[in-house]
Every structure is written in structure tokens, then in C-alpha cells.
Amino acid sequence: MLNELIRVEVTGSRLKRLEAEGPAPVNVYTRDDIDKSGQPNLQRFLASLTEVSASTGEGGFGTTLGQGTVQLRGLPLGSTLVLINGRKVQGVGSFTGNVFNLNLIPMAAIERVEVVPLGSSAVYGGDALAGVVNVILKQAINGQSVTARLGSGQGYSDGSVSLATGGRSAEGEYLLMGSYSRSSPLSMQQRAFFLDADYRRFGGADERLNYCAPGTVSSPSGNLPGLNSNVAGIPQGVSGQPLKISDFQASAGTRNLCNVWTTGGGVALFHGYETLALHALAEHQLGGSWSAFTELTYTRDRMHARDLGLRLGNVLVPAGNPFNPFGADVRVTAALGPENGTEGLARQTNFTRALVGVRGSLAGSWDAELTASTTSDRGGSQSWNEAVNSSALNAALASTNPATALNPFASGRMASDEVLRGIWSDNRRRSVGRKDQLTGQVRGTLLRLPAGAVDSVIGAEASRDSYDVSSTSETHGSRRSAAAYGELRAPLVRGGGEGADGWSLAALTLAARRDHYSDFGSANTFQGGLEWRPARSLLIRASAANSFKPPTILQTHVNDVVYQAATYRLVDPARGGEAITSGTVVRTANPDLTPEHGQARGIGAVWEPEGGHGTRVSMTHWQMRIRDMIAVLATQSALDNEKLFPGLVTRAPGANGQPGQVTSVKSTEVNFGRVDTSGTDLDVAYVWKTSVGRLTASGGASRTNEYRVMLAPGAPLVDRLDRRFRDFWAPSWKGRLSLGLDQGTWSLGLTSRYLGGYKDIGTSERRLGKFWTHDLAGRVDVKKLWPDLLSGFRTASLGASITNLADREPQFAQGAPFYDVTQTDWRGRYASVRLSLDW
């Protein structure tokens, strides 16, 4: 019944409205959608969406090294704003201060995810250049609930369990949920694709190197003593027995060749995790229409994975080394076996999000809300065996004492723990990011027009962000910011009949916001949208918005480091290309940095017939422009474009009309780059009611038809459409087709995901993509199927899914790691089961 509809708030607007669809598209993915996808974490689920053109990747080759994030439209890292329950979180991570780690949001607590795939800074502030991902957490339940999940694939497994309790009454509601999840890592050693790095079988090159266990020995000059060659592969020895020259006869003239990425533990394709999380909220009625509410989320996340073996790169082994069988100086290239230790990464993060607030009604139709919140990310990471003490290494190779010497010819242990730990040591890093925020807003009817009420929101925010890093050097930075914003929706023309049978034939939405930051100044953003409904079931819409992304704290707080310019091999174009042999290069902060700016446009239509029970057709054409992108300017580019970036080059006094010699060049972040991208999104769903059940066929596609980038001064625009890059780019097509049957007691669905064709990195003509991946998911309502089973439970359901049914392996791509990190999931065929019980 129309008169039973209530106003709800949706992402993309702070207004409450009857229709979920507004002037800008908002894609809503429910908990059921997440479960049916079969994806093991939020990052992988988001990466499977059509509006996410590229991913930062997982594992040791991922851009964020195990931190979950999202790149809407494949746009640069950090250009998508992440919200939790519509509120900002600290924009930091334990590894990098530039992104929020999605893995810190407990999967069990997620109710739905709402995505605005267009810039939206006028509503939510900075960082929304590409759009917004709003993660909505569960609000309340009546009773208790437990959910257990197990997943498995070749060489790895994962699982989780969550327990929740909650209730509702006239005085308020509460929810308390705890969850635990764990997943094992997967390394390159566990996939046959990498075991032999001779990729000529794929049309690539032989990428094998001498880094093997054991490795290869060579002579600094002439042949190796006793052999007729200057090189020989080191043979597998017998533990405790030294090698002899005769042991090398069979391998003389050959090298031991291996894939360096599979040495030691092997580089992680994805890391292992162990996560303990708590999610709680409560609301209590204070009297009248006013209530107090609070939210608390705490996550303790541990990430780990072994990595490469320790390596010796063409090291000199003196004749006096007791394990050197040649009695002369030789050189060895090798990887140490895992018995000697490996490189690797372990990281622990404690994430806390706490919020308190009050809300209620004011005079007339107005309501108000005031909240205070804090979010923090406290992390520590340990990179095992990352630092090499060259002096200790050379001393161990030159030692004549077997107890203190390094044996580079061994197949197993090469030295004692004391010797190894003296050469290879760990690097430790600690970081703390925090955001404290106070927000207040009022919302209500500003005035009434003949076509209806003008709804409006007026609000303000004040916050303090800080980020502290302690590792080999320390960085401490903070900033304060404040914002005022407003939004309104004005119906222009009313259509249909009077009263409940009418609707807004046309409506205008406007939003404006002003942000002020303590470290770089202010930014003004605006947003407008137009809705036209010629029929209740048809919406034609258009929107336009500008957006911004402030410099991160790490970009505005840089510790000065001085280097000798001669090591950079720079030339001075102002002095005829003269080589710069003196002076300095100073890595420093740029006090003149300004925000990155963006513009977004969208036009489209949505048709949802009344009584269609889910039937829908939606099409949106979108366009985004990003300007003043922030990046560290190459030192030579600063010299080549001295007039464009004044103040970066310092010179001695000139003479005879010629500029003076360069005395210093600043290496710093500047505003320069640009991205132009556009495309069309299409979604179609049709529902049939049959005697068997509810049959749904749906499809969606994102067609990107432009993606041009300029990153260097004076350089032409680079076409990144359908051309693989390691950071940001887009394929022309990404789509999905789904067919599902819901009988009520059980449901079954098949989804096929499509990735369009594109070219490999650089100037390669190798074609990648252009394939389908098929997923299967099903669910059984146990209580409906067997009412007498599990009599103590109110509801019980069992779900199962299989992603990548055909076990499709990622494609070979040129250059390490020899697959496309931005499009690849190495899980292969992955099956999971899920049991949920309520009582």
C-alpha cells in the first residue's frame, strides 16, 4: 500500500525519501548477494562487481600488500571513499597511510554494501573522486543467532564462526556480535604454473635465474680449478659431507636455474589471516521522540605469510672458506633453503570504531542528530630477514672457522642460527592512525511548493586526523578539518492523481559543501541532479558533481632526506644538457600542494514496472574527469620543466646570460596529472512466477569507452583503455549473467562473470581476458524442509557455493609476477558451505 511507505535514507544523499532511486545511481548489494557470490572476503566481492574495473590485487604482489581496498572504475588507489554506516573512518592502513583496510570490517557484521559509482564529495566530503562504498553493518535482531562457514580450495582453506544476540522493545534495541575467522595463505610454490619459470611454453621468455638451492658457482677469471668450464651448477650434497671438485664434473658448463619467486616459502598469492571481531550497538529511548545510541566495532587482525628464500647474489667466496672445495676464490649465486629462514611478512592490527549520539524530532517535521565518533588503526608489522648486513655476510664468507663460516655450497643448513641472524635481520614498523569526529545535522521540510514538500538537510562536521609511523625513520603528522554542508530536494511538477496516487513528475536535487583543512586550505564542492518520471514506473535522471581528494597526511608530512645529485645522472637542459656532477637532491614536502579535483556526469533511466516483483531495466552513461593528481615528480622532470614548477630547482648566480649551475633539486609531490574516463552501465532483471518457484534472469555490464591518462609534464595523453597497467586502468567490458530459481524452501543460482579482452603491459600485442568464470550457489531452508528437525531453533538454513566451477587458471602475462594482479584470483575452484541457526 502506498500510504504505508516510509521515508528511508540511502547512500548518495543524506535526505530521507520514499524512492530508493534518485538522480545518481546507487548499487545495493545485500547480505544474500554477498553470500551467493561465494567470495571469501569483502575485497574479492567488490572486485567481482562490474563497476570495479581493476583491483589492487592480493598477496606479495598486491599494491597494498594484504590490505583490502577497492578501485571503482579502476581509478587510482585512494580515490574511492569508504564509509561505515554512512560515516567516515580513518584513511590509513598498517602498511600505508593512504587507504583504509577493508579487511578490518568484520564480514559477519555486514548487512549490505551500497556503492555510488560517481563522485560525491558534496555529500560526503573528500576522497570521493571515483565514488563511495558504504558498508552497512547489522542493526538489531530478536533472539540469538550463530553462523558457521567453511571454505576450501586446492592448497588452502578458510572458515569463520559468529555468534550474535539482540533484542527490541519499546525502550530501545541492542545487538552484540562476536566473530572469529581464519584463512591459510597460498604461495607460488603451491601452483604448478610457477614451478618452472621457463614461460616459453606460453610464448614468453625463460625467466629462470641462478637463485636456486643449491645455486651456481663461477670463476672470477678462467676456468674453475679442476674443471674445463668457468661455471658449474652446485650438486645436491649429503648432509655433513663437504663437496669435492669431482662432484662438479657432471654439472660443469651448466647452471642451476630456478624461479626465484618460488624459493623459500614462495611469494604469497594471498596471505593468511586470523581475525577476532566484536560488533555491538544499542539505542535507548530518552523520552518523547528522542533517543541515545551507540556503536562499537573492534577487530584484532593478524596477517602472515612466508616469502622468498634468502639469497646470495654473485658473492665472493674466498679460498680460505672451509667449505670451498676449489682452493681458490670463486663466486656463488644461490637461494638458501627454507631451513635457513625465509623472507616474509607478519602484521597485527587493532581497529576500534566507537560512536555515541542522540537523535530525535524538533518542531514541525524537522529532526536532528548529533554524534561523536573515533576510529583508530594501531598496527605493527615485521618483515622477516629483510635487512642484510653486508659486512657480516662478507665476514662469514671469509671466515676460516667452520663454526662461524657460511657454507654457500650446502643443500640444507648453511650456517648456525647465530651466523644467519647476524647477516639477515628483521625490519619492524609501527603505525597509529586515528580520526576523531563530531557531526551534527538537522533535516526536515524547508517549505512546501504546489508539487510537494522541499526536503532539506543542513549539517556541520569537525574532525582531527593523525598518523604516526615508526620504522627506520619516524613520521608524525596531524590535521584538523571542518565542514558545513547542505542538501535539498525540490519537487517541480506533480504527476498522476491527487493524494497517495500522485508522484513527483519532476524534481531537482542540489547539494553544496565547504571543507577547510588546517594544512592546505579549503575546498568547495557542488552536486545537482534532475529527476523526471513520465510514469510512476519510469525514471529518467541526470546528475553532475564536482569532487576533491585532499593530500594525505603522508604527502604533506615528509621527512627531509638529502642525496648527492651526482648519483642520479641528471642533466641540466638550461645549460645545454650539461651533466650535473655536484649539488644535492632533497626529498621533502611541498607546502603548495592542493587537492586533486574531479568532475562527474551521469545520465540514464530506470524502469521498474509495478507488480514486477524485481523486474528492472537500468542504463546510465557516466563521465569522470580528474585533475591536479598528486604524484612525486621525477627529479629530471623537475629540471626539464623548471618554469612549470618554480621553486623546485635552486641555482648558483648566473654569468654571461647563462643560468647558474644547479645547487639543489627538490624531489617532492606536485599537482599535475589527469585522468579522463567515461562509459555506460546496463542492468537488466526479469522475474517469472512459475509453478516451480520464482525464476529470475538478470544481467549487467559496464562498458568503458574512454580511459586516458597524463602523468608527466609535456607528455601526451596515454590511452589506458584495454591496456594492462600495474596501477590503474580499465578493460572495455566487464559483465555478468545470472539465472536463479527460488522455490521458497530452497534456491539455486548460476552466475557467469565476463572479463573483456585487453592487451598486455607495455607495447605487447599479447591478448588477455575475453573469458567467462562460472559460479554456482544454493540454499536450503532446513526448518521448512524438515519442520521437526532442530526443534529448538526458530530458523535454520544451509547454503553452499562453488566459485570458478571450471577451475580456470589465470593467464600468463608479461613481466613479474607473470600474471595480471589487477584481474586475477589464484584460488581456482573454491567451495564453501554455510550454516545459520536462529533461536
Side-chain angles (χ1 to χ4, degrees):
M1 296 286 293
L2 288 175
N3 57 5
E4 295 176 342
L5 292 175
I6 60 173
R7 293 178 179 267
V8 297
E9 185 175 344
V10 295
T11 303
S13 171
R14 296 181 187 270
L15 297 168
K16 287 188 176 181
R17 46 183 297 153
L18 289 174
E19 302 89 356
E21 291 290 351
V26 179
N27 303 330
V28 180
Y29 303 96
T30 65
R31 182 72 216 194
D32 192 44
D33 294 327
I34 297 172
D35 291 338
K36 285 180 179 178
S37 74
Q39 297 297 337
N41 56 53
L42 184 56
Q43 173 174 331
R44 289 309 317 170
F45 172 73
L46 293 172
S48 71
L49 303 180
T50 57
E51 59 265 39
V52 181
S53 300
S55 168
T56 55
E58 297 179 282
F61 286 100
T63 305
T64 56
L65 204 60
Q67 294 183 155
T69 187
V70 58
Q71 292 178 264
L72 287 173
R73 308 298 185 193
L75 288 168
L77 184 65
S79 58
T80 300
L81 176 63
V82 175
L83 306 174
I84 297 180
N85 287 350
R87 296 178 172 89
K88 289 183 180 180
V89 291
Q90 80 284 4
V92 305
S94 299
F95 177 73
T96 171
N98 297 330
V99 296
F100 173 75
N101 183 2
L102 290 172
N103 293 334
L104 299 178
I105 304 175
M107 279 289 287
I110 297 175
E111 179 69 25
R112 67 184 185 275
V113 177
E114 299 177 350
V115 178
V116 182
L118 287 173
S120 194
S121 287
V123 177
Y124 294 111
D127 298 335
L129 282 175
V132 178
V133 171
N134 187 10
V135 181
I136 308 297
L137 303 183
K138 292 183 177 179
Q139 297 302 302
I141 62 173
N142 264 323
Q144 290 76 42
S145 175
V146 63
T147 299
R149 180 184 181 277
L150 289 174
S152 180
Q154 182 185 352
Y156 67 95
S157 62
D158 59 38
S160 64
V161 61
S162 66
L163 179 64
T165 183
R168 293 189 180 95
S169 69
E171 296 181 348
E173 61 186 15
Y174 74 94
L175 171 68
L176 178 63
M177 171 183 285
S179 64
Y180 173 78
S181 60
R182 184 172 184 173
S183 64
S184 61
L186 182 76
S187 84
M188 286 184 167
Q189 284 188 352
Q190 294 170 275
R191 290 293 182 259
F193 178 94
F194 300 105
L195 294 182
D196 180 2
D198 186 353
Y199 295 117
R200 288 176 292 185
R201 64 190 187 277
F202 298 119
D206 186 352
E207 301 289 348
R208 294 175 298 171
L209 301 173
N210 295 156
Y211 291 105
C212 300
T216 297
V217 60
S218 62
S219 172
S221 61
N223 289 336
L224 290 165
L227 301 178
N228 59 358
S229 175
N230 68 341
V231 65
I234 300 173
Q236 291 282 345
V238 178
S239 178
Q241 297 183 15
L243 292 172
K244 304 181 294 296
I245 292 178
S246 59
D247 296 326
F248 291 81
Q249 292 290 344
S251 61
T254 63
R255 300 174 183 270
N256 290 335
L257 298 175
C258 302
N259 186 350
V260 65
W261 309 113
T262 61
T263 59
V267 173
L269 296 171
F270 52 82
H271 298 93
Y273 293 90
E274 185 174 13
T275 305
L276 182 66
L278 172 71
H279 170 56
L281 60 85
E283 183 165 1
H284 181 71
Q285 297 297 319
L286 299 175
S289 64
W290 285 84
S291 63
F293 59 93
T294 184
E295 299 176 13
L296 173 66
T297 305
Y298 173 78
T299 304
R300 184 181 180 88
D301 180 68
R302 296 175 182 268
M303 188 204 80
H304 63 92
R306 293 200 301 171
D307 209 318
L308 299 176
L310 310 180
R311 294 173 303 285
L312 301 173
N314 199 33
V315 296
L316 182 68
V317 185
N321 183 298
F323 305 105
N324 183 348
F326 295 99
D329 292 355
V330 294
R331 290 192 174 274
V332 171
T333 297
L336 281 63
E339 308 92 336
N340 302 278
T342 68
E343 293 184 8
L345 176 65
R347 185 169 66 225
Q348 177 178 305
T349 306
N350 295 318
F351 169 66
T352 304
R353 174 181 176 269
L355 177 146
V356 294
V358 293
R359 56 187 165 214
S361 298
L362 301 173
S365 62
W366 289 82
D367 61 63
E369 181 178 282
L370 178 66
T371 62
S373 64
T374 181
T375 61
S376 65
D377 175 338
R378 299 175 179 270
S381 63
Q382 179 180 358
S383 299
W384 308 326
N385 299 312
E386 185 180 76
V388 179
N389 186 326
S390 299
S391 298
L393 172 61
N394 292 331
L397 289 168
S399 174
T400 58
N401 182 354
T404 58
L406 183 71
N407 180 5
F409 301 94
S411 300
R413 290 281 294 185
M414 289 191 174
S416 67
D417 281 341
E418 182 180 1
V419 171
L420 293 171
R421 298 292 76 80
I423 300 171
W424 286 276
S425 60
D426 302 341
N427 276 340
R428 298 178 183 272
R429 173 191 174 104
R430 292 198 170 275
S431 61
V432 179
R434 179 168 173 168
K435 185 181 190 71
D436 300 317
Q437 183 168 274
L438 182 67
T439 302
Q441 67 178 31
V442 293
R443 177 168 45 194
T445 299
L446 187 64
L447 56 92
R448 290 190 176 274
L449 300 175
V454 177
D455 293 330
S456 63
V457 173
I458 301 172
E461 298 175 358
S463 62
R464 180 184 184 274
D465 292 84
S466 62
Y467 188 57
D468 298 293
V469 183
S470 176
S471 57
T472 53
S473 63
E474 295 190 0
T475 300
H476 307 285
S478 66
R479 66 160 53 126
R480 295 183 181 275
S481 61
Y485 58 86
E487 186 177 359
L488 64 82
R489 180 179 186 271
L492 303 178
V493 182
R494 188 169 179 82
E498 295 297 326
D501 294 329
W503 70 88
S504 294
L505 179 65
L508 177 68
T509 301
L510 297 173
R513 182 181 175 109
R514 179 174 175 83
D515 290 82
H516 179 76
Y517 289 77
S518 60
D519 54 353
F520 70 83
S522 301
N524 300 317
T525 48
F526 305 93
Q527 187 168 315
L530 184 63
E531 304 167 55
W532 178 43
R533 291 182 181 270
R536 186 184 295 277
S537 60
L538 177 62
L539 168 65
I540 299 173
R541 61 191 179 188
S543 63
N546 64 343
S547 53
F548 77 102
K549 180 182 186 301
T552 67
I553 291 179
L554 284 184
Q555 289 171 332
T556 56
H557 296 77
V558 178
N559 296 325
D560 287 359
V561 182
V562 180
Y563 305 93
Q564 294 302 310
T567 62
Y568 284 73
R569 298 182 178 179
L570 303 172
V571 297
D572 187 352
R575 293 174 61 89
E578 174 185 282
I580 299 176
T581 57
S582 62
T584 59
V585 172
V586 182
R587 177 70 178 104
T588 188
N590 182 358
D592 298 323
L593 270 185
T594 61
E596 299 180 359
H597 294 94
Q599 292 182 333
R601 305 285 186 271
I603 185 169
V606 182
W607 177 64
E608 293 181 293
E610 294 185 62
H613 304 288
T615 297
R616 168 188 167 92
V617 178
S618 171
M619 184 174 70
T620 301
H621 178 73
W622 49 268
Q623 179 189 76
M624 281 187 273
R625 301 288 184 256
I626 299 177
R627 297 293 184 268
D628 303 321
M629 289 176 61
I630 298 173
V632 176
L633 184 68
T635 311
Q636 186 61 56
S637 291
L639 291 162
D640 295 341
N641 299 274
E642 187 174 350
K643 292 182 179 180
L644 189 61
F645 301 103
L648 297 189
V649 178
T650 303
R651 296 180 177 274
N656 301 322
Q658 187 179 34
Q661 290 185 329
V662 172
T663 58
S664 180
V665 184
K666 292 180 180 178
S667 172
T668 188
E669 284 83 359
V670 298
N671 295 97
F672 182 77
R674 60 179 283 190
V675 176
D676 298 338
T677 183
S678 62
T680 303
D681 293 340
L682 175 66
D683 279 287
V684 179
Y686 192 78
V687 179
W688 298 267
K689 282 190 173 181
T690 70
S691 58
V692 180
R694 186 171 181 263
L695 183 64
T696 303
S698 63
S702 183
R703 161 66 172 169
T704 305
N705 52 36
E706 176 193 26
Y707 200 117
R708 297 184 299 168
V709 176
M710 180 188 291
L711 295 179
L717 282 170
V718 176
D719 188 356
R720 290 195 172 197
L721 181 65
D722 285 339
R723 169 68 74 180
R724 180 171 79 95
F725 284 79
R726 291 189 173 92
D727 45 13
F728 50 96
W729 65 283
S732 288
W733 286 99
K734 195 174 182 185
R736 58 167 175 78
L737 293 173
S738 298
L739 184 64
L741 178 62
D742 190 339
Q743 195 267 345
T745 302
W746 56 267
S747 64
L748 186 66
L750 176 67
T751 298
S752 297
R753 293 174 282 130
Y754 178 72
L755 177 64
Y758 60 95
K759 291 183 179 181
D760 206 348
I761 202 164
T763 58
S764 172
E765 293 300 310
R766 180 188 305 278
R767 300 294 300 183
L768 301 172
K770 207 171 184 179
F771 63 79
W772 291 87
T773 304
H774 309 289
D775 309 323
L776 183 66
R779 180 191 58 83
V780 174
D781 189 320
V782 178
K783 291 295 290 184
K784 287 184 178 180
L785 193 61
W786 299 291
D788 298 329
L789 188 65
L790 302 173
S791 57
F793 296 94
R794 185 173 69 252
T795 65
S797 65
L798 180 66
S801 64
I802 303 175
T803 61
N804 194 359
L805 272 170
D807 198 20
R808 170 179 284 276
E809 189 173 83
Q811 299 165 308
F812 170 79
Q814 193 63 49
F818 308 106
Y819 64 93
D820 184 359
V821 172
T822 69
Q823 301 292 337
T824 294
D825 181 2
W826 271 102
R827 288 172 177 81
R829 185 185 294 115
Y830 171 72
S832 63
V833 294
R834 184 185 63 262
L835 176 65
S836 296
L837 302 170
D838 298 333
W839 68 95

